Amino acid sequence: MTTEPETDLRIGGVRSAHGIKGALRVELLTDFPDRFAPGRELEVAGRRMTVARSAEQPDGLLVTFEGIDDRTAAEQLIGAYCTVPLDEARPLPANQYYHFQLVGLKVFDTRAARELGEVAEVLTYPANDVLRVTDGSHEVLIPMIRSVVRSITLSEGRITVELDEETRA
């Protein structure tokens, strides 16, 4: 199974409609909530949309888009991602990476002294992200924690890990 390369950066996920005037509850998937400032353009469910209003909530944002004026229209967007083109990705601090930057990198286990395969996708969990690495016939899930992931070198297309016996099996 090959994973298609990402063309857009996911910055939010529409979780539910709110009220009767078209507002949406959006889970933030970005460290930059200002991407949802009024007037900003985003892609949502294959449509270019402009943010009319947004307000921070304890569990994300409450967002209203221009042209989405009632609950019925808002409900059509539930489950969709809010995205921007990859070329609009903002620089991250040192040692932080977008998921799309990691997909396709080769993963080497220093303890076993061998290549494990390539990152097929990055899974997001509350505790930490997990790399799904495959060599075409075998798959291993690697937690993105400092004690396991030793280095990421984008310029070399390489991630170095130190796996314990249980993870390697």
Side-chain angles (χ1 to χ4, degrees):
M1 178 175 98
T2 56
T3 304
E4 292 295 316
E6 296 283 331
T7 58
D8 296 310
L9 181 64
R10 293 177 178 175
I11 60 169
V14 178
R15 295 295 164 237
S16 64
H18 176 81
I20 60 171
K21 295 185 178 179
L24 297 161
R25 289 199 179 280
V26 175
E27 176 187 355
L28 277 175
L29 301 175
T30 177
D31 291 335
F32 308 104
D34 64 300
R35 288 188 176 276
F36 290 90
R40 295 284 177 120
E41 288 191 354
L42 310 173
E43 182 104 1
V44 185
R47 296 169 47 194
R48 196 79 178 154
M49 304 182 89
T50 303
V51 176
R53 288 183 298 284
S54 67
E56 289 194 44
Q57 302 283 305
D59 59 346
L61 292 175
L62 197 57
V63 179
T64 304
F65 292 101
E66 291 178 9
I68 305 297
D69 300 320
D70 60 38
R71 187 174 185 90
T72 302
E75 287 174 342
Q76 300 301 309
L77 301 175
I78 294 172
Y81 287 104
C82 302
T83 65
V84 295
L86 283 183
D87 62 5
E88 292 181 21
R90 294 182 180 168
L92 294 175
N95 299 318
Q96 289 188 19
Y97 305 92
Y98 288 107
H99 290 180
F100 75 85
Q101 292 176 300
L102 304 177
V103 173
L105 297 185
K106 294 189 182 309
V107 179
F108 295 87
D109 180 2
T110 56
R111 287 189 182 163
R114 70 179 181 95
E115 182 179 324
L116 299 174
E118 290 185 3
V119 177
E121 70 179 315
V122 182
L123 307 170
T124 303
Y125 292 102
N128 55 266
D129 290 345
V130 174
L131 300 174
R132 185 173 69 83
V133 177
T134 182
D135 66 2
S137 59
H138 295 91
E139 182 176 283
V140 63
L141 299 176
I142 301 173
M144 289 283 295
I145 56 177
R146 284 193 173 113
S147 62
V148 174
V149 177
R150 296 315 212 170
S151 68
I152 298 173
T153 312
L154 295 179
S155 62
E156 295 176 16
R158 179 182 177 113
I159 298 175
T160 303
V161 299
E162 285 187 11
L163 299 181
D164 57 29
E165 290 296 324
E166 295 164 10
T167 308
R168 243 185 269 138

